[in-house]
Amino acid sequence: MSAAGRTPRPVSIASFAQAKNVRRDQERNEVEGLMPVIAEVFGNIGITKDDVDFICSGSTDYLIGGPFSFVMALDAVGVWPPRSESHVEMDGAFALYEAWVLLQEGEIDAALVYSFGRSSLGDLREILALQLDPYYLAPLWPDPISLAALQARALIDAGKATEADFAAIAARSRRDALANPHAQVALDVSADTLLEDEYVVSPLRRHALPPITDGAAAIVLAAGDKAARWSEHPVWITGFDHRMESHALGARDLTSSPSTAKAADVAGVADGPIDVAEIHAPYAHQEIIVKQALGLGDDVTINPSGGPLAANPLMSAGLIRIGEAAARIASGEARRAVAHATSGPCLQQNLVCVLEGE
Amino acid sequence: MPERCAVIGVGQTHHKAKRDDVSIAGLVREAAKMALADADLTWADIDAVVIGKAPDMFEGNMMPEIYLAPALGAVGKPMIRVHTAGSVGGSTALVAAHLVKSGIHKRVLTVAYEKQSDSDAMWALSVPQPFAAPLLAGAGGYFAPHIRAYMRRSGAPEHIGRMVAVKDRLNAMRNPYAHLHLPDIDMKMVEDSMMLWEPLRYLESCPSSDGAAAMVLAAEDAISGQYPPAWIHGTAMRSEPTMFAGRDQVNPQAGRDCSADVYAQAGITNPREQIDVAEIYVPFSWYEPMWLENLGFCELGDGWKLTESGATAFDGDIPWNTSGGVLSSNPIGASGMLRFLEVAMQVRGQAGEHQIDGARLALGQAYGGGSQFFAMWVVGSDKP
């Protein structure tokens, strides 16, 4: 059920593909990086671009350092004859939301969503500072790691977590990533060993930070006959919402995430048991905040893919959470899952997508 | 079936070369508050916010919805940031319309802006990219060759571009929000202005503006406001690749397909006959005759004859760009939305001095990139 009390039209995650997440992909440009992902997402279910009615992508110009990076990226699909197409300057999870909205109208039955970004091209600590209020905040260049550290410190001061908790999350993510062929940081290492790291910005050590990742991802959404035709056991989106918080960090309780809680409520997370959660928490401590806001107990498997601590391709990491959660249901490991995506400093904007198998 | 959706509130800033009296947040808030007042609503009545603007590199503010959320009352609400190049203002309104048409929300605020005085568009458009030819001359330099191709194909005489430049500036004299108010504008003044990109002279080009546009879109059971609603009769977007052999940049297929789609939804079979008024994205004078053909208002090659005959003038049978158009105000990210907004004003009967009497069905169009992204809507005073 959504805010307006309507039951959404069933839409399935018909196919998901992602690039191998790597620290630096310098041999290929954005189009070349996307092409195999687009080919795979169609190839998985034996369709072509002619079978989708709408295309929506998510990316940001600031990674490539030039305007209109999404324009050339369209060549990875090849929009000829012309297509109904749109773009959000947001994570691909929000592009998926836009496509899902269109499918709700019932006039089209399939959409391609993709996202891409090479985080390695510039200095993310400088680039992400440009997301901040350009008059009062950005000129001070508070970098994203320092802002996340403020949040982690607040969490510790509130007695809600310890540095050992951060290390335990990082160790679990690295270990789980060993089973994920697309992961970037995968190793079997104990939390105690990780705690021997130096601080990058206290209280965050290197293991609590997201890796710098180049990547891309794509999902095909289907409804109606196409959903049935393209998947033997469709994975359905049963709830989908996202919410914004204030940009004024000082006006927020950084140890909680009311926007996630609100989105979870609208998306109906609590309407049934959750088996798996894929949480887009780029910093280890943020997983604790989001998990609580989603109302998840300790019986829920968190980030079996390794999550964003194992690979954090900017603009795709949220979309990948939805794809990974759907994959757990498709494989039969889970029946009901929740995927989360975030944007902005200290979890300012959050998206929640509930997925269910049959 | 999608839900019916209508424009119930519109707002825009006084567009100027420099709005140094407001921040970016102040600029967007000015337009948004005006739209809310027009709709007889407050911030609390809004379910979601959809914002659009042209490249973030213009103002140097990455993903600015993050910063602008509180100024637009979006805290606790869904907020989406659209970016589809020059067509973005139109696409942003369409994303907002879909949030209502899908039945997900009842009232959506949509906002688009550009603060060009905080930015350097020419620089931002010309950053060298690996393996790509740099666009060192900005948008005018990109479009001038296509205009020359149009002139060669159609045999249009040189003065057509100047006529459009004069006509749109005369219309702007009726619009208190327009950036350029040039009471003495005439053919001679345009002809005497500096050549920028042959054949485009200074006065045949859009200005560089600070400005914002906002609209409130509502579902059928949530209609309110000072004026009757502008019902949305059709919405469409189309994109095609930037370049490939055989692509017609003068008369792009994506534009033709987009208009065919939106006309089919609105039941339009003869645009010139059925559409009472149109606001079309004409940043450089010659795009009026080019889009007249692309949008099916006439046969190929005849666009310039329509302009020359005065058909598109304020008192013509198909008035185009009654607001003064992009040629009179160009806050880039908002320019597409201003087209959509002007036609909503026309069918609501709230356009004041630039009101076309009896306007009941109107077309708004925006384009972007290398004439490759198109967004259109048809609005009407009758319920679809």
Side-chain angles (χ1 to χ4, degrees):
Chain A
M1 296 289 278
S2 75
R6 55 180 279 287
T7 303
R9 181 190 189 200
V11 171
S12 80
I13 309 280
S15 179
F16 166 56
Q18 62 180 313
K20 164 85 178 129
N21 291 289
V22 293
R23 172 63 180 82
R24 192 176 282 108
D25 185 356
Q26 285 190 326
E27 280 68 48
R28 303 180 302 171
N29 68 14
E30 280 62 23
V31 175
E32 291 163 333
L34 262 173
M35 284 181 75
V37 178
I38 302 291
E40 185 183 335
V41 83
F42 286 149
N44 283 342
I45 48 175
I47 66 167
T48 71
K49 65 189 176 190
D50 296 332
D51 295 303
V52 297
D53 312 299
F54 180 65
I55 300 166
C56 196
S57 63
S59 69
T60 177
D61 285 348
Y62 261 91
L63 292 182
I64 196 172
F68 307 127
S69 64
F70 64 92
V71 174
M72 295 310 284
L74 254 185
D75 286 345
V77 184
V79 283
W80 190 260
R83 304 288 163 159
S84 181
E85 187 265 344
S86 188
H87 171 260
V88 293
E89 196 84 355
M90 308 176 86
D91 188 287
F94 293 88
L96 190 85
Y97 182 82
E98 183 181 333
W100 176 81
V101 168
L102 233 71
L103 286 161
Q104 293 303 304
E105 289 174 34
E107 305 224 307
I108 61 167
D109 290 333
L112 167 69
V113 176
Y114 65 89
S115 58
F116 61 95
R118 283 191 289 165
S119 311
S120 69
L121 295 176
D123 181 343
L124 289 184
R125 291 182 79 164
E126 283 192 8
I127 292 169
L128 290 171
L130 295 173
Q131 278 190 335
L132 307 171
D133 181 323
Y135 304 98
Y136 295 109
L137 213 48
L140 304 172
W141 294 96
D143 67 275
I145 299 174
S146 299
L147 294 178
L150 279 176
Q151 186 177 37
R153 175 62 65 199
L155 205 61
I156 291 169
D157 288 350
K160 292 185 177 178
T162 64
E163 291 177 30
D165 294 334
F166 306 164
I169 288 167
R172 189 207 68 219
S173 297
R174 281 155 170 70
R175 204 163 43 243
D176 287 345
L178 287 167
N180 177 0
H182 298 97
Q184 177 188 353
V185 180
L187 66 159
D188 195 354
V189 59
S190 74
D192 287 341
T193 307
L194 290 177
L195 277 169
E196 291 166 13
D197 288 352
E198 297 285 314
Y199 288 121
V200 177
V201 179
S202 170
L204 297 179
R205 296 179 171 84
R206 188 155 185 257
H207 63 253
L209 311 181
I212 294 170
T213 310
D214 291 355
I219 280 178
V220 172
L221 289 179
D225 290 347
K226 285 181 173 173
R229 202 160 0 118
W230 294 346
S231 319
E232 208 173 324
H233 302 289
V235 177
W236 301 103
I237 295 174
T238 57
F240 209 166
D241 193 57
H242 57 95
R243 299 282 153 168
M244 181 61 100
E245 285 182 47
S246 175
H247 186 57
L249 292 174
R252 290 171 49 195
D253 171 8
L254 296 180
T255 69
S256 67
S257 181
S259 57
T260 302
K262 172 77 178 171
D265 182 41
V266 175
V269 172
D271 292 351
I274 295 287
D275 303 314
V276 165
E278 279 284 342
I279 294 175
H280 182 202
Y283 297 88
H285 67 274
Q286 294 177 338
E287 183 184 299
I288 298 165
I289 298 169
V290 174
K291 181 183 169 189
Q292 189 196 18
L294 289 170
L296 303 179
D298 289 334
D299 55 328
V300 177
T301 305
I302 309 276
N303 290 352
S305 68
L309 292 174
N312 188 43
L314 284 189
M315 313 317 285
S316 299
L319 185 64
I320 289 172
R321 302 280 73 73
I322 296 171
E324 289 283 3
R328 301 290 150 185
I329 295 173
S331 70
E333 290 164 70
R335 202 201 68 80
R336 193 163 182 272
V338 60
H340 159 265
T342 195
S343 177
C346 300
L347 301 169
Q348 188 186 328
Q349 186 177 23
N350 294 283
L351 171 148
V352 174
C353 182
V354 179
L355 301 159
E356 287 183 40
E358 288 186 319
Chain B
M1 271 290 285
E3 304 281 333
R4 289 193 181 99
C5 176
V7 181
I8 60 165
V10 301
Q12 63 185 304
T13 56
H14 285 277
H15 314 300
K16 283 185 179 170
K18 265 191 210 296
R19 281 295 307 268
D20 47 16
D21 58 322
V22 287
S23 62
I24 295 171
L27 191 75
V28 295
R29 197 172 162 85
E30 186 177 308
K33 284 174 75 172
M34 192 174 157
L36 287 175
D38 186 28
D40 273 334
L41 297 175
T42 67
W43 297 106
D45 298 313
I46 298 299
D47 300 326
V49 179
V50 183
I51 186 168
K53 75 174 295 295
D56 294 358
M57 289 180 69
F58 283 5
E59 288 88 349
N61 187 199
M62 179 190 189
M63 300 162 73
E65 72 280 3
I66 297 289
Y67 141 66
L68 292 171
L72 290 171
V75 172
K77 296 173 186 173
M79 189 171 189
I80 297 174
R81 158 70 196 294
V82 181
H83 179 19
T84 63
S87 63
V88 65
S91 311
T92 303
L94 296 185
V95 172
H98 286 302
L99 284 173
V100 174
K101 287 170 74 179
S102 61
I104 293 169
H105 294 303
K106 293 293 183 193
R107 295 179 195 89
V108 177
L109 172 67
T110 184
V111 184
Y113 76 96
E114 207 71 59
K115 200 156 191 291
Q116 288 218 60
S117 70
D118 276 15
S119 88
D120 187 340
M122 283 285 271
W123 170 81
L125 289 173
S126 305
V127 183
Q129 294 289 317
F131 311 110
L135 185 64
L136 292 170
Y142 184 89
F143 292 120
H146 306 312
I147 290 170
R148 286 199 295 275
Y150 171 74
M151 294 169 77
R152 179 181 49 77
R153 275 190 206 179
S154 66
E158 267 182 33
H159 68 271
I160 299 298
R162 296 197 284 276
M163 285 188 73
V164 176
V166 171
K167 180 208 69 165
D168 282 5
R169 271 53 172 271
L170 287 174
N171 287 348
M173 290 303 295
R174 300 168 177 269
N175 179 2
Y177 297 100
H179 172 178
L180 294 184
H181 287 128
L182 305 171
D184 302 325
I185 188 84
D186 62 11
M187 298 287 277
K188 175 85 170 52
M189 189 173 164
V190 178
E191 195 172 355
D192 288 348
S193 68
M194 185 171 64
M195 183 65 81
L196 291 184
W197 305 277
E198 203 285 318
L200 286 170
R201 291 182 181 276
Y202 180 75
L203 284 174
E204 288 180 82
S205 305
C206 51
S208 178
S209 315
D210 288 358
M215 291 189 282
V216 179
L217 307 185
E220 190 174 5
D221 57 357
I223 300 297
S224 62
Q226 312 270 329
Y227 289 90
W231 294 100
I232 297 171
H233 288 241
T235 58
M237 287 193 251
R238 284 295 185 284
S239 309
E240 68 183 44
T242 316
M243 54 190 86
F244 66 92
R247 175 173 179 238
D248 188 347
Q249 300 214 44
V250 175
N251 184 23
Q253 183 72 42
R256 286 181 291 176
D257 292 359
C258 193
S259 60
D261 187 354
V262 83
Y263 293 162
Q265 293 171 48
I268 293 170
T269 50
N270 183 339
R272 183 170 179 187
E273 197 78 7
Q274 292 170 268
I275 293 171
D276 298 317
V277 53
E279 271 282 323
I280 308 300
Y281 204 101
V282 177
F284 302 103
S285 57
W286 280 94
Y287 272 86
E288 174 173 302
M290 288 161 74
W291 292 148
L292 276 166
E293 296 173 23
N294 188 252
L295 289 165
F297 278 70
C298 60
E299 294 298 318
L300 272 189
D302 286 350
W304 66 270
K305 295 173 192 162
L306 233 56
T307 296
E308 190 176 44
S309 74
T312 58
F314 195 82
D315 58 359
D317 71 296
I318 42 161
W320 268 37
N321 296 337
T322 45
S323 73
V326 185
L327 282 171
S328 304
S329 313
N330 186 34
I332 302 178
S335 290
M337 188 172 287
L338 287 168
R339 312 284 69 74
F340 281 42
L341 181 151
E342 170 71 13
V343 290
M345 289 178 76
Q346 288 287 347
V347 300
R348 297 177 80 203
Q350 66 177 144
E353 290 285 301
H354 51 111
Q355 178 69 47
I356 297 296
D357 283 341
R360 300 190 66 79
L361 197 66
L363 168 69
Q365 176 257 28
Y367 86 97
S371 308
Q372 67 194 113
F373 298 115
F374 292 84
M376 299 179 195
W377 81 5
V378 171
V379 289
S381 47
D382 294 328
K383 207 182 277 190

